[in-house]
Amino acid sequence: MSLSEMARCLRTSRVLQRYLDGEADDLTAARVAEHLEECRRCGLQARTYQAIKQALRSGSRDVDDLALHRLRIFSRSLADPDDAG
C-alpha cells in the first residue's frame, strides 16, 4: 500500500462514523463513498461497523463473529494503540 493510499485510508477512518450516521457534508460523503468502493479494507471496516450498529438497533443478541472480533481489536487499540494485534 502506497503512502498516499494509507493517507486516504486514515482520512476516511477519521470521518467514517459521521458518514455512516449520515452526518458528513456532501463533499465528504462523496469522497468517503468513492474510497469505500475502491478500498477493500475500508469497505470491510464500514460493513462491520454497519453490522454492529444494526445489531445494536435491533436489540439482537446475534452479532456476526467477524464484527465482534473487529470490535474487540478496535477496543484494544483504543486502550493500547501499540497492542492492537
Side-chain angles (χ1 to χ4, degrees):
M1 178 180 288
S2 73
L3 224 43
S4 65
E5 290 169 327
M6 288 172 42
R8 195 163 179 212
C9 290
L10 181 59
R11 285 191 304 270
T12 298
S13 70
R14 289 181 178 157
V15 297
L16 185 58
Q17 290 302 317
R18 284 189 303 144
Y19 169 77
L20 294 174
D21 290 339
E23 297 173 354
D25 62 77
D26 291 342
L27 179 59
T28 300
R31 287 179 176 165
V32 171
E34 179 183 346
H35 181 71
L36 294 178
E37 296 231 357
E38 296 172 356
C39 179
R40 183 171 183 238
R41 185 175 143 251
C42 289
L44 176 60
Q45 182 179 18
R47 286 188 299 279
T48 299
Y49 288 154
Q50 288 172 319
I52 291 168
K53 286 174 58 166
Q54 179 61 36
L56 291 172
R57 268 193 300 258
S58 70
S60 172
R61 305 289 271 163
D62 296 327
V63 178
D64 179 66
D65 287 337
L66 177 60
L68 283 175
H69 175 73
R70 290 179 59 84
L71 185 58
R72 286 185 186 109
I73 290 171
F74 177 68
S75 67
R76 279 195 303 258
S77 73
L78 292 176
D80 184 3
D82 295 329
D83 187 33

